[in-house]
Amino acid sequence: MMERNLLSVTQLNTYLKNIIDSEMLLKNIAVVGEVSGYTVVRGIAYFTLKDENGILNCVLFNANDYETPKLGDKVIITGSPAYYMKGGKLTFQANKLESYGLGELYKKFLALKEKLEEEGLFDAKYKKPLPKKVARIGVVSSETGAVIEDIINVVTRRNSAIDIVLYPVKVQGEKAEYEIAKGIEFFDDYNVDVIIVARGGGSLEDLQPFNTEVVARATFNCKKPIVSAVGHETDFTIIDFVSDLRAPTPSAAAELVVADYIAQIDRLKSLTNRLIYSETQKINLLESTLKNYSINIYNFVQNLLFKKESKLDLLTNSLGKLNPANLLLKGYAKLELNDKPVNSIDELSLNKEFTARLKDGKIKAIVKEIVKK
Amino acid sequence: MSFEEKLLALEEVVKKLESPEMGVDEGVKLFDEGVKLSKECYEILHATKGKITIIKKELNEVVEKPLKE
C-alpha cells in the first residue's frame, strides 16, 4: 500500500477552524444579502442570507432586539464567520442586523416629518424666545446616565443660583414617548421657566421615542420654551424641528439656557477688574504726579537756595571790599569826632580836637587850618 | 437692591471712575462704593445655590425631592 498523509476529520476540521478563527480580515465584518428561513429559538435567530450566486448560514444572538425581517428583505449583518466542527458547517455569527437602504423606521420618520411640516409645526413663527431671566429649569430626561449629570455640571459650574428640576422618564424602548410627552405637559403647568428635553446618543431605534407624533405635539402645544438636545450633534429628531431651540448636545442645551446668567457673571467679573484697574491706575498716576511735584519743588528750592547763596557770596564779597578796615590797610585814616566819623569839614572848626584812626592805632589831633574846596 | 440693580450701579461707578475728569477725593469715595457693590454681588452669587430636585409621585401626589440624598 502506498504511503499517504492521512488526516482525520477532526484534524481537518480543527485546521479549517484555526484558519478561519485566526484570520483577522474576517473579524467584525458587514455582509449584505436577502433573508430567508428566519426563525427565532430562545432569542437566537437562525436564517440564511442569499444573493444570486450562493447562500450563507447565519445566527443572530440578540434577535429580540430587532424586528423580524420579512422573507427576501435585503439586510446588512455585522459579525464574524465561525466554523462548527460538529456540524462541519460555516456559520456567520451576527450581533447586529440592519435593513439595507431606507429602513422602515427611517421611512416612518420621513413620513411623519413631512406630515408635521405641512401642518406648520416647524414654523419659525411659533418658536418662542428663551427667557432672559431663568430661575428654574425643568429637565425631561433619564434619571440615570450622563445627560442629567452634564446639565447639572454646566449649570452649577459657576456657583449657579439656578434650580434644576428633573422629570425622570424612560428615554428609549416601549412607551417611552408617552412618558416624555407627559413630562413636557407636566412642566408646562409647573414652576419652571424653561424646559430641556434631552437624551444622549444612540441608534435610530434608540432615538425613536423622540421621533413620535405624541412627543412632537406635546412639544408644539407647550406654552413654555423648550430646548431639545437629543442624540449626537449629527442626529436630528422630530422634536428638534418642533422645539423652540435645538441644541447639539445636552451640555450645549444647558449653556444656552443659562447664557444670560453666565453673561451677567462675566459682566460682574469684568466690572470688578475695571474698578480695581481704574483705581490702581489712578493711584499710580497720582503717585507719579506727586513724585514729579516733589522733584520740582526740590529743584526749585535748590535753585532758589543756590541763587540766594551766590547772592550772599556776592554780598559778602562786596561787604569785605567795603569794610573800612581794608581802607586803613591801604594807608588811609579815618577821622572821628566823639567816636563818630567825620564826613565833612563843616563838622570841624579851628583848634578842635579830633581822632585820626590808622591801621595800627589812633592819634589825637587839632585842626590847624580849614580849607574849603 | 437686586443683583441686577447692584450690577448696574457698579457699572455706573466704574464708568465714572474711568472718566478723566474724576477728582481724587471723589474717586476714592466712588472706589469704596464700587468695592462694596462688587462684594455684595459676589455674596449674592455665592449665597444662593440652586436646588437640584427630581419629580416623584407619592400616593397620587407629585412631590419634588432632592436628586441626590
Side-chain angles (χ1 to χ4, degrees):
Chain A
M1 205 173 149
M2 266 178 72
E3 226 179 276
R4 282 186 292 175
N5 284 328
L6 291 177
L7 289 176
S8 70
V9 170
T10 305
Q11 278 172 320
L12 178 60
N13 274 351
T14 308
Y15 184 54
L16 288 172
K17 182 177 159 47
N18 285 344
I19 287 174
I20 288 163
D21 283 353
S22 61
E23 179 50 66
M24 291 320 285
L25 290 175
L26 293 175
K27 300 287 174 222
N28 206 27
I29 51 175
V31 185
V32 64
E34 285 171 19
V35 178
S36 66
Y38 195 93
T39 40
V40 181
V41 181
R42 285 191 290 273
I44 300 173
Y46 301 87
F47 58 100
T48 54
L49 215 55
K50 307 196 282 193
D51 64 9
E52 54 278 14
N53 295 319
I55 68 159
L56 180 68
N57 295 309
C58 304
V59 291
L60 176 67
F61 291 112
N62 44 346
N64 288 341
D65 292 351
Y66 301 96
E67 274 183 48
T68 303
K70 291 189 291 290
L71 180 71
D73 272 359
K74 222 171 182 182
V75 297
I76 303 164
I77 52 171
T78 310
S80 313
Y83 188 77
Y84 282 102
M85 297 203 293
K86 220 172 175 178
K89 252 170 61 173
L90 188 118
T91 305
F92 192 88
Q93 301 184 345
N95 48 44
K96 193 174 170 194
L97 175 98
E98 309 163 77
S99 50
Y100 181 79
L102 289 188
E104 278 306 303
L105 268 179
Y106 192 64
K107 279 186 205 153
K108 271 206 258 177
F109 166 83
L110 288 180
L112 180 62
K113 183 170 171 260
E114 199 179 330
K115 175 185 159 186
L116 297 178
E117 193 165 15
E118 255 169 50
E119 257 188 68
L121 265 69
F122 306 166
D123 270 10
K125 64 178 178 188
Y126 295 122
K127 308 272 182 218
K128 296 174 279 295
L130 295 191
K132 277 218 148 217
K133 277 200 71 173
V134 171
R136 281 164 71 81
I137 305 170
V139 180
V140 178
S141 192
S142 171
E143 185 179 347
T144 54
V147 171
I148 186 66
E149 287 298 322
D150 287 351
I151 292 173
I152 291 170
N153 283 341
V154 168
V155 176
T156 54
R157 197 188 297 151
R158 310 244 187 162
N159 262 314
S160 160
I162 296 171
D163 289 346
I164 302 169
V165 189
L166 173 69
Y167 186 99
V169 293
K170 262 175 37 178
V171 289
Q172 70 185 75
E174 225 179 309
K175 308 265 189 231
E177 61 265 36
Y178 296 102
E179 289 190 19
I180 295 160
K182 222 174 142 190
I184 293 169
E185 282 156 13
F186 173 82
F187 277 136
D188 201 7
D189 296 321
Y190 198 68
N191 175 23
V192 292
D193 305 301
V194 63
I195 302 164
I196 296 176
V197 182
R199 189 210 188 283
S203 66
L204 187 61
E205 287 84 1
D206 292 339
L207 305 184
Q208 180 51 25
F210 299 89
N211 282 326
T212 54
E213 193 165 346
V214 57
V215 168
R217 299 230 178 258
T219 304
F220 183 76
N221 292 332
C222 184
K223 297 177 289 297
K224 281 182 185 153
I226 294 180
V227 180
S228 65
V230 178
H232 291 300
E233 203 162 342
T234 46
D235 295 324
F236 269 89
T237 52
I238 297 284
I239 190 176
D240 291 325
F241 295 107
V242 189
S243 71
D244 299 294
L245 190 64
R246 182 235 174 206
T249 59
S251 300
E255 294 272 5
L256 287 167
V257 165
V258 300
D260 194 66
Y261 179 85
I262 287 169
Q264 274 194 334
I265 294 174
D266 286 346
R267 212 170 117 218
L268 173 61
K269 278 188 186 159
S270 124
L271 280 174
T272 306
N273 284 341
R274 270 165 69 190
L275 177 74
I276 290 163
Y277 180 72
S278 82
E279 201 53 18
T280 12
Q281 208 189 25
K282 204 151 265 175
I283 287 169
N284 286 344
L285 195 73
L286 209 66
E287 214 169 60
S288 64
T289 313
L290 275 177
K291 222 180 236 168
N292 283 341
Y293 277 166
S294 53
I295 288 171
N296 286 344
I297 289 171
Y298 178 76
N299 287 342
F300 178 74
V301 170
Q302 281 290 317
N303 211 355
L304 202 71
L305 278 176
F306 179 73
K307 272 187 192 160
K308 288 253 151 112
E309 213 169 72
S310 53
K311 200 169 177 188
L312 190 67
D313 281 349
L314 206 70
L315 285 172
T316 314
N317 205 6
S318 321
L319 206 63
K321 280 180 194 156
L322 291 170
N323 188 346
N326 284 347
L327 286 172
L328 299 186
L329 286 175
K330 289 180 182 166
Y332 291 93
K334 188 189 175 199
L335 303 190
E336 286 174 355
L337 191 65
N338 303 328
D339 292 331
K340 282 183 187 142
V342 178
N343 290 320
S344 162
I345 54 167
D346 294 340
E347 289 169 38
L348 294 171
S349 52
L350 271 179
N351 298 317
K352 184 98 179 173
E353 209 172 85
F354 63 92
T355 308
R357 200 180 283 275
L358 285 101
K359 66 172 179 188
D360 44 1
K362 54 188 181 179
I363 53 168
K364 293 261 187 217
I366 290 170
V367 181
K368 298 286 273 185
E369 192 184 355
I370 298 173
V371 183
K372 199 150 184 176
K373 229 194 237 173
Chain B
M1 270 206 285
S2 71
F3 178 79
E4 287 76 17
E5 285 166 337
K6 280 183 201 290
L7 208 57
L8 272 179
L10 176 60
E11 188 157 37
E12 278 309 302
V13 165
V14 172
K15 272 186 193 159
K16 276 191 198 164
L17 272 175
E18 282 172 345
S19 96
E21 295 100 59
M22 177 53 56
V24 176
D25 288 349
E26 203 188 340
V28 168
K29 228 186 275 172
L30 268 176
F31 177 72
D32 287 344
E33 195 186 321
V35 168
K36 189 169 158 260
L37 282 166
S38 162
K39 223 177 118 195
E40 284 168 1
C41 280
Y42 273 109
E43 274 167 9
I44 291 174
L45 284 181
H46 288 276
T48 42
K49 201 147 171 44
K51 291 193 294 286
I52 295 161
T53 52
I54 182 165
I55 299 296
K56 293 269 184 202
K57 286 172 197 99
E58 282 182 356
L59 303 166
N60 295 326
E61 198 187 358
V62 172
V63 289
E64 220 178 284
K65 296 212 146 179
L67 183 58
K68 287 167 201 155
E69 311 255 46

